[in-house]
Amino acid sequence: MTWSLDQKFLIWTGDDAIAGLDPGEKATLTFNYTVQVSNGTYSTAQVKLTINGTGTSEPPPLVDPVLDIVAGGVLGNFNIGVALNSGGGTFPGANTYPTGGSPKDLALGDVTGDGKLDVVSVSDFNNLVTVMSNTGSGEFSSQQTITVGHGPSALALGRLDTDTDTDLDMVVANRSANSVSVLLNNGSGTFSTLGSPIDVGLLPNDIALGYLNSGAALDFVTANDAGTLSVGLGDGLGGFTTTVNAGSAGAVAVAIALGDMNSDGKLDAVVANGALETVTVLAGTGTGGFVTDPLSPNAPPRVVGVIGPATDVAVGYLDAVASTQPGADYGTLDFVAVGSYLDVVYFGKINVRLNNGNGTYDQTRDYTIFGAILKSVALGDVNGDGEVDIVVANESASNVWVLLGDGAGNFGTPTPVGVGLASQSVALGDLGATGAAGALPNLGPLVPDPAGLIV
């Protein structure tokens, strides 16, 4: 069994299993791993683990979460819709819960520290963040609202002050204020704003967290309307050193996702370009910047065509062995971009772009939904077959659309799932899980997990 640690990512490349040990028996496992250090060199080491026998005849099976759907209402609708998964991707009904504003963006995470996934949403209607506590059965009762900067457009959860605690904090992109607010968690889901908002590029539309340099603290990156990326390098205490223009992603950067798209151990940026009907892929430098190509920084941007103005993008292994399989050959990261265009009526477009293995994406799968206005996308295994599926928020009806994946990059006919409201944002998670660890979609290695919840 061999493990390799490439910067912040742990990848299992072995397939060993431990046969059952009788009580009193012991077994020793040896793990070999490689660490890439900041100067680009590699250091190897070995860890030995001794396991005491319990009499179990076989190791427990790996279990992915039963993913439920949370959707945020459109502008003017101050609710979230929750569709609970009864198993196998069946959603028998939906409930709605009031929030502090129209949920333009939302995220799931255990912010209250009780082991259950809570919902955090942001509303540009009234400049509020709403924290909704999960009762443990996928129902939501108490809520807290926090005022942030003007016109907030997106948020991300992660452990920002790791030197002092392990609570989930958040960053919020304030589009109309050209800034980012940092909110620190006191451990029970009560947030306080840290200092003044941080200046970033013009009109930040989206924000993501990840380890962008060799430091141990989380960093943020915003996708700005002017087509630039702004980066804040974290200090581990919730503070950030900001580069307002850390990369050029093409005009109207409306959404961003992070992942190691070229398998070099550094987080890259996948950026939806809105009305241009393109997605730009930029390589991470490992020092907090983004370039077209690490070997040719001055080359023109790598632009991938999509159909319809893309409003959101997500990365995952769409044509690989499923995330539930240990030791799987995941291959390289692919992406999905969603959007809509108007031609007498609206046509919703779901663009699947498969990675050739070298950072090019000429393998395409496109899906059309007549009359749909698609706003947001989430990836995860909703039917429990071990393959990544696609879930898309729909602004034109009270449902989201689910496309089941076959593990080879193909997806089935879009199926509507009622969520009780027309939606502009969507997220997946096991809302009935007794522990937050493992309650979010497991998308495999090289996809950042700033919340530290995926195991």
Side-chain angles (χ1 to χ4, degrees):
M1 181 184 297
T2 302
W3 298 73
S4 63
L5 182 63
D6 196 15
Q7 290 198 356
K8 300 299 184 296
F9 302 106
L10 189 63
I11 308 168
W12 184 9
T13 59
D15 57 1
D16 296 1
I18 306 169
L21 299 175
D22 291 329
E25 289 187 326
K26 294 184 178 182
T28 300
L29 291 179
T30 300
F31 298 87
N32 299 305
Y33 63 90
T34 302
V35 178
Q36 183 180 14
V37 295
S38 58
N39 62 3
T41 62
Y42 292 83
S43 175
T44 59
Q46 189 177 86
V47 173
K48 292 187 177 181
L49 299 178
T50 299
I51 300 175
N52 294 314
T54 62
T56 304
S57 61
E58 61 184 18
L62 291 174
V63 179
D64 256 7
V66 178
L67 295 178
D68 307 305
I69 299 173
V70 181
V74 296
L75 182 63
N77 188 326
F78 286 24
N79 294 277
I80 62 168
V82 176
L84 298 179
N85 192 340
S86 62
T90 301
F91 300 87
N95 295 308
T96 59
Y97 300 92
T99 67
S102 300
K104 186 173 180 61
D105 190 25
L106 56 82
L108 304 183
D110 177 20
V111 299
T112 57
D114 61 359
K116 307 175 184 68
L117 289 182
D118 307 304
V119 177
V120 184
S121 62
V122 63
S123 169
D124 59 349
F125 181 80
N126 51 7
N127 307 327
L128 288 180
V129 168
T130 300
V131 179
M132 304 180 68
S133 299
N134 186 352
T135 63
S137 57
E139 297 179 347
F140 297 87
S141 54
S142 62
Q143 63 176 254
Q144 173 198 3
T145 58
I146 309 131
T147 301
V148 291
H150 190 57
S153 54
L155 66 90
L157 299 177
R159 296 186 171 111
L160 303 181
D161 55 344
T162 53
D163 288 351
T164 57
D165 61 55
T166 58
D167 306 322
L168 279 184
D169 311 300
M170 77 175 86
V171 287
V172 178
N174 304 309
R175 186 178 189 272
S176 300
N178 306 324
S179 68
V180 168
S181 295
V182 178
L183 284 72
L184 299 184
N185 190 344
N186 73 350
S188 62
T190 300
F191 290 84
S192 58
T193 303
L194 178 66
S196 300
I198 301 167
D199 292 336
V200 293
L202 184 65
L203 302 176
N205 290 306
D206 200 8
I207 190 166
L209 287 169
Y211 297 98
L212 301 181
N213 64 359
S214 57
L218 276 173
D219 313 304
F220 74 73
V221 56
T222 64
N224 307 319
D225 209 68
T228 60
L229 302 183
S230 297
V231 167
L233 298 181
D235 62 7
L237 297 173
F240 294 89
T241 301
T242 309
T243 302
V244 173
N245 188 352
S248 178
V252 195
V254 298
I256 186 169
L258 298 177
D260 185 5
M261 308 303 291
N262 56 8
S263 303
D264 66 352
K266 305 177 183 69
L267 281 181
D268 309 311
V270 182
V271 183
N273 295 125
L276 294 183
E277 300 191 19
T278 59
V279 170
T280 300
V281 181
L282 295 173
T285 63
T287 58
F290 294 92
V291 296
T292 299
D293 187 325
L295 301 179
S296 304
N298 296 320
R302 175 161 290 167
V303 176
V304 183
V306 295
I307 301 174
T311 54
D312 198 15
V313 65
V315 301
Y317 297 91
L318 305 180
D319 61 345
V321 180
S323 62
T324 52
Q325 306 302 314
D329 180 9
Y330 286 91
T332 48
L333 281 173
D334 314 300
F335 72 81
V336 179
V338 301
S340 304
Y341 68 90
L342 180 62
D343 184 4
V344 182
V345 296
Y346 276 101
F347 292 84
K349 299 297 297 188
I350 300 167
N351 300 272
V352 175
R353 297 295 180 262
L354 304 180
N355 195 332
N356 292 323
N358 58 2
T360 59
Y361 304 87
D362 57 10
Q363 300 180 68
T364 65
R365 311 281 194 277
D366 297 320
Y367 303 87
T368 302
I369 304 174
F370 180 80
I373 304 175
L374 307 181
K375 288 295 184 179
S376 177
V377 61
L379 302 180
D381 177 15
V382 299
N383 65 343
D385 67 350
E387 312 297 351
V388 175
D389 308 312
I390 300 172
V391 180
V392 188
N394 180 22
E395 195 175 78
S396 58
S398 298
N399 64 267
V400 298
W401 292 94
V402 176
L403 289 78
L404 300 179
D406 66 358
N410 305 303
F411 293 85
T413 302
T415 301
V417 171
V419 290
L421 44 72
S423 57
Q424 60 180 329
S425 54
V426 67
L428 302 177
D430 190 345
L431 300 178
T434 56
L440 291 177
N442 185 356
L443 295 177
L446 307 187
V447 179
D449 174 30
L453 296 177
I454 300 173
V455 295

